[in-house]
Amino acid sequence: MNSPDPTPNARLRVSAYLERHPRLRRELYFAGGALAIGLFALPVLIYLVGTLTLGDYASGGFGSFLADYFSGLFTGWLPAWGIALGPYALVLFLRGLRFVWKRYLTPASA
């Protein structure tokens, strides 16, 4: 007995929900882009700046650095996850500062 695959129906429901809530859809796209930057661009930049300022990577070259980084992600190493989630966390922090600034630090207009 084969049961029907619920995946297409679930995808349609999620798609319809996101169509009704465009702000959430934009936020998901933004979060995905920030995560992609944290997962792929930041490690490259960290490696380049590290080799320019501190010298060669102790465990080998660029491939060893990436292998250590991604194995750190899979083992739950906190600094690796900090790199991966850092861009989005920075944006959330800045949004929070902006909220506090607008809400509490600007004079109310009469």
Side-chain angles (χ1 to χ4, degrees), residues 29-89:
Y29 288 149
F30 186 75
L35 183 63
I37 289 171
L39 282 173
F40 303 112
L42 272 184
V44 172
L45 292 174
I46 289 170
Y47 177 79
L48 290 174
V49 170
T51 55
L52 290 174
T53 58
L54 302 172
D56 293 334
Y57 185 60
S59 299
F62 181 64
S64 297
F65 177 78
L66 284 181
D68 290 344
Y69 170 69
F70 284 111
S71 69
L73 284 175
F74 289 118
T75 59
W77 188 46
L78 217 49
W81 279 102
I83 293 169
L85 298 176
Y88 192 60

Side-chain angles (χ1 to χ4, degrees), residues 67-105:
D68 290 344
Y69 170 69
F70 284 111
S71 69
L73 284 175
F74 289 118
T75 59
W77 188 46
L78 217 49
W81 279 102
I83 293 169
L85 298 176
Y88 192 60
L90 177 65
V91 168
L92 291 178
F93 176 73
L94 292 175
R95 284 179 180 172
L97 284 179
R98 184 174 144 225
F99 172 78
V100 168
W101 180 268
K102 284 184 164 187
R103 177 82 177 206
Y104 299 108
L105 300 176

